[in-house]
């Protein structure tokens, strides 16, 4: 996804886009399909990764794929906020009803990137 985001995509990168489909889950994109207790691994979905994926896909006119990620990720954010009143640093995108976890500390509340990415996704979705 980083190559897409950096606008360094080529026709040879089509396989990478197709491979991204394996990383797309109910609530957004996972960093890796490896399910471990590490904070960056599945089932966690990180906010910056959602943005990189969406911006990269949009760079190449792949609006439907980008929209799918935005809709799924915004839905998980909205659902969690409605039930808890807080935004989180990361979300479980594989099973959105279960809290994200893993890593060396508990899931953190807030973080500016969640506010910024959610706002940008809403702007794109409402164009």
């Amino acid at each position: 996804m980083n190559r897409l985001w950096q606008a360094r995509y080529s026709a040879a990168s089509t396989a990478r886009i197709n491979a991204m489909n394996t990383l797309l889950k109910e609530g957004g994109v996972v960093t890796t399909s490896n399910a471990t207790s590490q904070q960056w691994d599945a089932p966690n979905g990180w906010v910056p990764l959602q943005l990189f994926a969406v911006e990269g896909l949009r760079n190449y006119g792949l609006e439907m794929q980008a929209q799918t990620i935005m809709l799924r990720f915004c839905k998980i954010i909205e659902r969690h906020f409605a039930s808890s009143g807080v935004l989180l640093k990361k979300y479980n995108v594989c099973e959105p009803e279960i809290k994200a976890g893993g890593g060396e500390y508990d899931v953190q509340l807030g973080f500016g990137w969640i506010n910024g990415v959610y706002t940008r996704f809403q702007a794109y979705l409402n164009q």
Side-chain angles (χ1 to χ4, degrees):
M1 280 181 258
N2 200 28
R3 293 181 68 79
L4 284 174
W5 179 67
Q6 294 174 346
R8 293 174 47 197
Y9 173 80
S10 68
S13 299
T14 302
R16 287 188 185 110
I17 293 174
N18 292 335
M20 189 166 51
N21 290 332
T22 64
L23 301 176
L24 180 59
K25 305 299 178 191
E26 181 182 346
V29 178
V30 291
T31 306
T32 173
S33 58
N34 295 332
T36 72
S37 63
Q38 298 303 308
Q39 63 182 353
W40 285 94
D41 289 346
N44 299 326
W46 289 78
V47 179
L49 180 65
Q50 311 307 308
L51 179 64
F52 294 160
V54 165
E55 295 291 358
L57 291 166
R58 288 177 53 107
N59 280 343
Y60 294 96
L62 301 169
E63 293 291 333
M64 289 185 66
Q65 293 94 327
Q67 186 174 41
T68 297
I69 295 169
M70 289 187 288
L71 288 169
R72 290 181 185 191
F73 198 63
C74 286
K75 183 176 180 180
I76 194 173
I77 293 167
E78 292 162 359
R79 200 180 311 159
H80 185 271
F81 186 79
S83 67
S84 69
V86 297
L87 300 174
L88 300 175
K89 179 181 179 182
K90 62 185 174 186
Y91 293 87
N92 179 333
V93 296
C94 295
E95 297 177 272
E97 63 282 349
I98 298 174
K99 185 178 178 184
E104 50 284 339
Y105 51 83
D106 289 335
V107 176
Q108 304 294 301
L109 300 180
F111 269 65
W113 63 34
I114 188 67
N115 303 329
V117 170
Y118 179 81
T119 301
R120 175 168 290 184
F121 284 1
Q122 288 302 307
Y124 285 158
L125 291 167
N126 292 309
Q127 285 181 339

